[in-house]
Amino acid sequence: MRVCLTGGAGYIGSHILVGLLEDGHDVLVVDNFANSSPKSLDQVRIITRSSFEVLDQDICNSGVLSEALSSFRPDIVIHCAGLKAVGESQEQPLRYYRTNVEGSISLLEAMDQAGCQRIIFSSSATVYGTPRYLPYDEAHPVAPVNVYGRTKAMIEDIITDWAATDPGRSAALLRYFNPVGAHESGEIGEDPKGIPNNLVPYIADVATGMRTELSIFGNDYDTRDGTGVRDYIHITDLADGHIAAMAFLEGNQGVETFNLGAGEGSSVLEVVKAFSRASNQSISYVIKPRRDGDVSESVANSSKANDVLAWKADRTLEAMCADVWRWRSRYPRGFDG
Ligand code: UFG
């Protein structure tokens, strides 16, 4: 198939790109490298020994995007491009709405111009907001509690309305839980700019000696050891979920939403211990107050994706940590170091 992959140089996009190329698809990557490095694409070429097209553009640039899609003529678009830092989204809401929401509208218009009727969208479990019950299933109310989450929920609605206007259109809205890990080769992985917001990249910085200690945000939650519980999913399993959704959309019309999680929660302390074992490094930490906006627990019910997409996240937390350690041992400073 001909696949347009937005955000293809990013952490999630680059792992999806590997999966697409390994399956023999023709790919056009659209990325403006705002939060990623072109080197990740070089590494993907090395891993897969395959080539693909690249358009270095902001998705908000609708004229250029329309032209590129009309000439590439994708069968499907996988839309990962977007800004994703929760704290930053609260400080710069307009930038988030413009990039994420306007960018998605511009992409759908370009798809219309190019006659492309299928899309897979990178959504997030953050659309659920504070859990009314756990594990979250797809019927859980959508009530995001931050700007980033609201952009994701809005885009889900926009895609749903777009698809409803033509029976030939179809979409899969994939709600990711907590993607961690790296490609098993150790050649690509997560490379956040500046101080990492997320747990595993921060732990990896402590393990490599780049930072002295991890701050654990709260140990007084109502969880088994008091620290926050999340559903960590290996990035390669997450990428495989997109390949499964592509196959599903080939035979189905309309819009379907899927949770992509492992269905199992791990606490912050359990992740620290697992990473310490995988890296054979001690991870110093200090307990700090709870982080604003954090929920105590977030775990997926992914049975819909398991049943309908015939997909399951089965890589373990140990494998996630071992793969991150391999990547960070090879590239302690990420793609640029
Ligand atoms: N944590 C720490 N110390 C840190 C970083 C995180 O203790 O330095 C804790 C958090 O309090 C939380 C857990 O580790 O309990 C996981 O935190 P992350 O920041 O790694 O992940 P979140 O669950 O907060 O958020 C992630 C993505 C969001 C996405 C959300 C979906 O970053 O973009 O999952 O559920 F919206």
Side-chain angles (χ1 to χ4, degrees):
M1 265 201 271
R2 299 181 67 74
V3 186
C4 169
L5 175 62
T6 74
Y11 171 47
I12 295 172
S14 59
H15 289 81
I16 297 173
L17 180 58
V18 169
L20 291 171
L21 295 169
E22 282 174 345
D23 278 2
H25 298 291
D26 294 315
V27 185
L28 165 68
V29 167
V30 180
D31 204 302
N32 68 350
F33 305 105
N35 194 27
S36 61
S37 167
K39 288 192 189 137
S40 73
L41 298 179
D42 295 336
Q43 303 286 79
V44 170
R45 289 186 188 98
I46 292 168
I47 295 170
T48 62
R49 297 194 184 128
S50 303
S51 59
F52 47 88
E53 295 179 39
V54 181
L55 175 70
D56 177 355
Q57 271 297 335
D58 189 322
I59 51 167
C60 290
N61 200 339
S62 51
V64 179
L65 197 64
S66 268
E67 242 173 66
L69 263 64
S70 295
S71 120
F72 183 75
R73 299 202 70 78
D75 301 302
I76 186 164
V77 170
I78 301 180
H79 179 28
C80 299
L83 300 173
K84 61 170 187 178
V86 173
E88 188 184 65
S89 76
Q90 297 293 106
E91 288 154 18
Q92 305 174 27
L94 300 183
R95 184 168 160 242
Y96 271 68
Y97 287 117
R98 189 182 294 278
T99 303
N100 292 5
V101 180
E102 185 187 321
S104 299
I105 294 171
S106 151
L107 179 64
L108 290 168
E109 284 171 347
M111 288 171 62
D112 281 350
Q113 293 266 319
C116 178
Q117 297 199 297
R118 274 182 227 161
I119 186 166
I120 294 175
F121 174 56
S122 288
S123 190
S124 167
T126 198
V127 299
Y128 294 123
T130 310
R132 310 243 174 115
Y133 57 85
L134 285 171
Y136 293 111
D137 57 23
E138 291 83 356
H140 186 284
V142 168
V145 293
N146 54 60
V147 171
Y148 164 68
R150 281 193 282 280
T151 70
K152 291 290 179 187
M154 282 179 192
I155 301 163
E156 287 192 358
D157 285 344
I158 291 167
I159 291 174
T160 303
D161 290 340
W162 167 83
T165 60
D166 185 328
R169 287 181 177 162
S170 56
L173 311 174
L174 306 183
R175 294 178 178 159
Y176 307 157
F177 280 70
N178 287 61
V180 299
H183 189 262
E184 58 178 5
S185 64
E187 295 298 324
I188 54 171
E190 190 167 12
D191 180 22
K193 305 239 187 292
I195 301 169
N197 290 312
N198 296 118
L199 179 65
V200 170
Y202 204 107
I203 293 177
D205 275 6
V206 175
T208 56
M210 285 175 63
R211 293 180 206 281
T212 49
E213 62 187 12
L214 168 75
S215 298
I216 294 185
F217 300 134
N219 67 348
D220 56 352
Y221 286 109
D222 183 18
T223 59
R224 48 187 174 264
D225 61 22
T227 64
V229 166
R230 295 291 182 274
D231 186 330
Y232 296 95
I233 169 173
H234 194 293
I235 188 71
T236 303
D237 283 331
L238 188 79
D240 289 348
H242 294 70
I243 310 288
M246 260 173 73
F248 170 77
L249 289 185
E250 262 194 273
N252 292 278
Q253 251 90 58
V255 180
E256 288 291 344
T257 305
F258 298 99
N259 283 343
L260 295 188
E264 232 179 82
S266 305
S267 73
V268 175
L269 282 170
E270 286 164 352
V271 177
V272 168
K273 280 186 200 129
F275 203 95
S276 184
R277 273 197 304 272
S279 62
N280 209 17
Q281 305 290 316
S282 66
I283 313 287
S284 308
Y285 62 81
V286 58
I287 305 293
K288 290 273 178 67
R290 294 180 178 192
R291 187 170 65 177
D292 230 19
D294 271 355
V295 296
S296 70
E297 192 163 343
S298 164
V299 180
N301 175 339
S302 286
S303 52
K304 183 176 173 192
N306 300 158
D307 298 342
V308 178
L309 300 180
W311 165 91
K312 196 166 181 355
D314 47 22
R315 289 172 175 84
T316 60
L317 182 62
E318 282 63 36
M320 299 177 213
C321 294
D323 290 339
V324 171
W325 184 240
R326 191 173 307 111
W327 149 246
R328 290 299 301 270
S329 304
R330 263 177 221 208
Y331 302 96
R333 284 165 203 286
F335 292 110
D336 295 320

